[in-house]
Amino acid sequence: MTKQTTWSQRFESALHPAIARFNASIGFDIALIEYDLTGSVAHAKMLARTGIISPEEGEQLVAGLEQIRSEYREGKFNPGVDAEDVHFAVERRLTEIAGDVGKKLHTARSRNDQVGTDTRLYLRDQISHIRTQVREFQSVLLNLAEANVETLIPGYTHLQRAQPLSLAHHLLAYFEMLQRDWTRLGEIYQRVNISPLGSGALAGTTFPIDRHYVAKELQFSGIYGNSLDGVSDRDFAIEFLCAASLIMVHLSRLSEEIILWASQEFSFVTLKDTCSTGSSIMPQKKNPDVPELVRGKTGRVFGHLQAMLVLMKGLPLAYNKDLQEDKEALFDSVKTVQGCLEATTILLREGLEFKRERLAEAVAEDFSNATDVADYLASKGVPFREAYNLVGKVVRTCLAAGKLLKDLSLEEWKELHPAFEDDIYNAIAPTQVVAARNSYGGTGFEQVRQALKNAHERLVAE
Ligand code: ARG
């Protein structure tokens, strides 16, 4: 049987080995080790500074903790399941290195405020990393948009051809979504960056600790004002999972579009060989695995959010072991979001090419300029609804005759309504149809150029 040595003499026998394995988090919370060491260094310094331990003891603890850091980085620190979790593993090793003084590290601290601190330090770093990745992705979107202001692409509602768009406008819609993600993560960072250390197990501590000093050492911007809340709050993790889920929604929607665009039916993009895969049986296939995987991985992040909400909803104050379950949800979500952002950025930067000729054909071969005919009449004084009904009739006649609007002769137009003049042909040409939507935030080229400028300014402003 595993001899559990960390708990008090209250225990007469060791844990059943299967229960030890069941209970242990070391298999995954080892990922927190650097943060655990950093948190413990700050705690040890505070203990010395406040006179709770002597300055020499403080130095010995810090040196021992830094030695563990080196050992870990060199691959020499690999605690087993008997350590239970990363916190016990570090404390045990510290006592081996520094002797009895190692046993003083946990003075005025509990694993409850310790693990909360570690998780926040970890998440803070990951949020910064994800925000940088979001920025990189946005700059790729922006470059692609800049090169495609006058490239037209069919715009859809209900996945039916609606009105043509500037491709840049379409791409900038994603830029905006990612802009909100970036801002949202920045706001969440503020709430992650609060120190629970010093909350103790749940009620604070009898020692004269200096919570502000530790928080400052760890670059937290504030401390929890209520010890019970400090050890049991996981709102920050849920908020992060919400933000991560929204990033995945955005990536997944773009992925779905790329998958459609790469199909033979749309044929709007070609996937480069570096970012697509083949079939083991059908030699002609080129599959959009990257966007498919991003779309597929979205579900697991949503799942972690749901799991975390359910985890919290019935928990009485304060710490409960259930909270150990927060880590894998966070770790897997972080890994998934980071991986998906990286892959999607590469895909858009160098993995696909828009087929401009095909796109130009696509916008010329449908009735997505029908609104413009109605607008044409409306601008000549015909009430819009009347114009709309008339154009509906024209479309129906054209469909029956196998014609497009541009194929109608001026006589035919005039028969439909005397207000039509020769300039109707220009009004319904795809480029003009797009250019004319010059309302603020619309797809008109002038608006899109303004939007690009605006996006660029926001991208460089931190
Ligand atoms: N491994 C634990 C966790 O992740 C650390 C905190 C344990 N606290 C306790 N009171 N058992 O939640």
Side-chain angles (χ1 to χ4, degrees):
M1 277 212 178
T2 318
K3 180 80 187 91
Q4 171 56 264
T5 51
T6 320
W7 300 330
S8 72
Q9 306 277 320
R10 182 186 196 281
F11 288 83
E12 279 173 22
S13 56
L15 262 185
H16 186 289
I19 299 298
R21 278 197 303 277
F22 183 68
N23 203 39
S25 53
I26 188 72
F28 50 86
D29 68 14
I30 189 72
L32 294 177
I33 187 163
E34 295 265 356
Y35 304 102
D36 194 71
L37 291 166
T38 302
S40 287
V41 165
H43 179 69
K45 284 189 186 169
M46 183 279 290
L47 291 177
R49 199 184 138 89
T50 50
I52 298 170
I53 61 173
S54 73
E56 299 73 43
E57 287 173 327
E59 279 162 27
Q60 284 170 289
L61 290 177
V62 171
L65 290 163
E66 290 306 344
Q67 182 179 326
I68 299 174
R69 198 192 295 278
S70 311
E71 289 176 359
Y72 175 72
R73 288 186 182 173
E74 288 161 18
K76 291 187 200 140
F77 182 61
N78 302 298
V81 76
D82 58 313
E84 188 178 326
D85 61 22
V86 66
H87 325 294
F88 274 151
V90 166
E91 191 179 324
R92 193 171 67 182
R93 180 72 190 125
L94 183 64
T95 307
E96 282 167 16
I97 295 171
D100 276 353
V101 66
K103 297 180 187 165
K104 292 200 171 185
L105 176 67
H106 213 51
T107 314
R109 190 177 68 172
S110 155
R111 277 187 300 160
N112 299 349
D113 55 349
Q114 185 179 359
V115 73
T117 305
D118 293 5
T119 311
R120 285 166 180 82
L121 291 174
Y122 159 83
L123 197 55
R124 192 173 83 170
D125 265 9
Q126 303 308 323
I127 288 177
S128 298
H129 182 68
I130 294 172
R131 289 185 92 215
T132 307
Q133 286 189 298
V134 167
R135 278 306 200 214
E136 274 166 27
F137 182 43
Q138 284 185 292
S139 90
V140 168
L141 282 169
L142 195 52
N143 286 341
L144 203 52
E146 250 147 19
N148 285 291
V149 174
E150 291 184 16
T151 308
L152 306 189
I153 186 168
Y156 297 81
T157 62
H158 311 268
L159 203 58
Q160 304 287 324
R161 295 273 180 98
Q163 289 165 355
L165 300 168
S166 151
L167 174 55
H169 192 57
H170 194 118
L171 295 167
L172 284 177
Y174 285 100
F175 179 96
E176 294 297 335
M177 295 176 220
L178 269 296
Q179 179 68 21
R180 289 193 294 276
D181 290 327
W182 184 81
T183 309
R184 186 166 17 247
L185 282 174
E187 289 159 2
I188 292 170
Y189 185 100
Q190 304 299 321
R191 284 183 290 278
V192 172
N193 200 26
I194 306 289
S195 172
L197 203 58
S199 296
L202 76 166
T205 172
T206 54
F207 290 94
I209 55 169
D210 184 347
R211 292 190 59 199
H212 291 283
Y213 170 80
V214 192
K216 207 160 161 244
E217 278 289 297
L218 296 172
Q219 281 138 39
F220 279 117
S221 63
I223 65 175
Y224 274 85
N226 180 298
S227 61
L228 283 170
D229 185 39
V231 287
S232 54
D233 169 33
R234 294 293 183 274
D235 292 1
F236 69 96
I238 294 177
E239 281 196 71
F240 169 76
L241 293 173
C242 284
S245 295
L246 281 171
I247 294 176
M248 292 307 297
V249 169
H250 299 152
L251 295 184
S252 189
R253 293 185 76 175
L254 176 60
S255 295
E256 172 64 18
E257 297 209 290
I258 293 171
I259 293 162
L260 286 172
W261 292 344
S263 70
Q264 203 174 334
E265 285 68 18
F266 278 79
S267 273
F268 291 172
V269 297
T270 317
L271 296 175
K272 302 257 187 77
D273 290 359
T274 48
C275 288
S276 49
T277 56
S279 153
S280 61
I281 172 170
M282 297 166 282
Q284 85 284 9
K285 290 285 294 284
K286 201 169 180 190
N287 296 328
D289 286 26
V290 173
E292 287 176 295
L293 270 176
V294 171
R295 188 179 60 184
K297 283 176 188 289
T298 299
R300 58 204 276 174
V301 179
F302 293 1
H304 292 314
L305 169 63
Q306 178 68 8
M308 195 69 201
L309 285 166
V310 176
L311 178 73
M312 294 305 291
K313 78 172 270 289
L315 281 192
L317 293 179
Y319 178 86
N320 299 270
K321 188 75 168 192
D322 315 44
L323 291 176
Q324 180 164 287
E325 289 289 308
D326 65 353
K327 279 166 238 21
E328 286 165 293
L330 281 178
F331 296 168
D332 187 64
S333 301
V334 162
K335 191 176 130 223
T336 304
V337 170
Q338 290 178 350
C340 290
L341 274 169
E342 184 185 24
T344 310
T345 302
I346 295 171
L347 181 66
L348 283 232
R349 193 176 52 215
E350 58 205 74
L352 58 79
E353 210 169 323
F354 282 94
K355 295 174 158 180
R356 299 209 175 150
E357 271 174 38
R358 162 72 194 131
L359 285 168
E361 262 166 45
V363 291
E365 72 191 11
D366 59 23
F367 289 90
S368 60
N369 48 3
T371 319
D372 298 79
V373 180
D375 285 355
Y376 178 95
L377 287 178
S379 70
K380 300 209 167 184
V382 182
F384 180 78
R385 184 56 64 214
E386 205 177 294
Y388 163 93
N389 283 329
L390 185 104
V391 180
K393 211 168 72 192
V394 181
V395 169
R396 203 179 59 207
T397 332
C398 281
L399 280 170
K403 281 183 178 177
L404 291 167
L405 292 171
K406 65 175 179 201
D407 301 328
L408 296 177
S409 67
L410 190 57
E411 291 72 55
E412 287 173 304
W413 281 115
K414 280 196 176 295
E415 250 168 60
L416 291 160
H417 200 287
F420 284 116
E421 304 286 349
D422 202 26
D423 58 356
I424 181 64
Y425 295 104
N426 180 46
I428 62 170
T431 304
Q432 175 55 25
V433 165
V434 174
R437 290 197 160 62
N438 200 27
S439 56
Y440 187 92
T443 193
F445 303 120
E446 217 177 286
Q447 288 301 319
V448 171
R449 287 204 179 87
Q450 196 53 46
L452 281 169
K453 215 173 129 233
N454 179 287
H456 196 79
E457 278 161 17
R458 281 180 291 157
L459 196 58
V460 292
E462 283 302 306

